[in-house]
Amino acid sequence: LSLGRISPVKHIEVIIGALRKLDERGVKFAADIYGDPTDRDGYYYKKIRALAAPLEKKEVIVFCPAVPNHETPAIYSVHDIFINATPQGSFDKTILEAALCGALPVVGNAAFADIFPKELLFNKGEVADLAAAIESVVTFSGEKREHIREQLRRVVSANHGLNILVRDVLVILK
C-alpha cells in the first residue's frame, strides 16, 4: 500500500520501480496506490502511471483515488505492508497511522531509524534497496510480523499520540 498525495516529493516512482523489480524476480504481490495529484502535479501522475502500466496490465497494481482521512484506518488495516518513499525532512504522519493500524511500514526516511527495526528501512531513492526490504518483510514469519506490529503500536502510541502533542503544545505555550 502507498497512500497519500501523488507528488514528486513522495517518490512514487521509486515504489513502482521496486515493484517492477519484484515482478521481474517472480515475487507475487498485489499493490494499491491511493491518492490524487494536485493540479500542478498532473504531469508527474502521468509519468508514474506510464511507469506502472506493465504492472497495471498484469493487474498487480491498482491506482485508487484519494480517500477522506476517516476512511484510511480501514485501508491500512487490510494491507500487510505500507510503503513510504518520502525522504528525511518530512515526518509523514501516514507512516505512524499505518503502523497503528497493523500495516508494516517500509520507509526511506532515516528519521524513523530510532523507532523502526532496520528491516523496515531502505536507503532513500534506491529502488533495489526498497525491493529487497519489501521482499524481506514478505518472508517474515507470522510470529515476527505480529511482534513487530505490537512493538510499533506501543512506540507510536507512547510517543506520537494526540495526548503527547497536546502536552508538547501546552509546554510551548507556557
Side-chain angles (χ1 to χ4, degrees):
L1 170 68
S2 172
L3 186 149
R5 181 180 77 252
I6 304 291
S7 172
V9 72
K10 302 294 186 175
H11 295 286
I12 307 297
E13 75 281 359
V14 173
I15 296 170
I16 293 169
L19 295 175
R20 287 179 63 157
K21 277 199 174 300
L22 293 173
D23 183 63
E24 290 166 7
R25 287 190 216 148
V27 175
K28 301 292 182 206
F29 65 88
D32 295 326
I33 297 178
Y34 280 81
D36 293 323
T38 62
D39 290 339
R40 69 173 188 227
D41 291 329
Y43 74 94
Y44 178 72
Y45 185 70
K46 288 177 186 170
K47 174 182 158 186
I48 64 165
R49 289 300 294 263
L51 186 63
L55 297 176
E56 282 188 279
K57 200 175 251 185
K58 290 181 173 186
E59 298 181 345
V60 296
I61 191 169
V62 175
F63 283 84
C64 306
V67 293
N69 288 341
H70 70 274
E71 291 180 19
T72 60
I75 294 168
Y76 292 129
S77 66
V78 296
H79 290 85
D80 288 327
I81 299 172
F82 175 74
I83 306 168
N84 187 292
T86 306
Q88 191 167 347
S90 172
F91 201 79
D92 197 331
K93 71 181 183 329
T94 61
I95 296 167
L96 301 175
E97 292 170 350
L100 281 173
C101 293
L104 296 176
V106 176
V107 301
N109 185 335
F112 289 90
D114 291 342
I115 59 174
F116 285 8
K118 66 180 184 331
E119 299 100 330
L120 300 182
L121 303 171
F122 69 95
N123 293 319
K124 72 173 182 165
E126 293 190 21
V127 169
D129 200 39
L130 173 55
I134 295 168
E135 197 164 9
S136 172
V137 172
V138 167
T139 63
F140 284 174
S141 69
E143 185 178 300
K144 182 172 184 173
R145 190 179 299 270
E146 260 326 292
H147 173 73
I148 292 173
R149 281 185 177 128
E150 287 307 313
Q151 175 188 359
L152 291 177
R153 282 186 187 117
R154 279 193 306 274
V155 168
V156 172
S157 293
N159 300 311
H160 301 283
L162 184 58
N163 57 339
I164 303 299
L165 175 63
V166 169
R167 182 198 70 203
D168 291 349
V169 168
L170 288 174
V171 167
I172 291 169
L173 292 175
K174 287 183 181 182

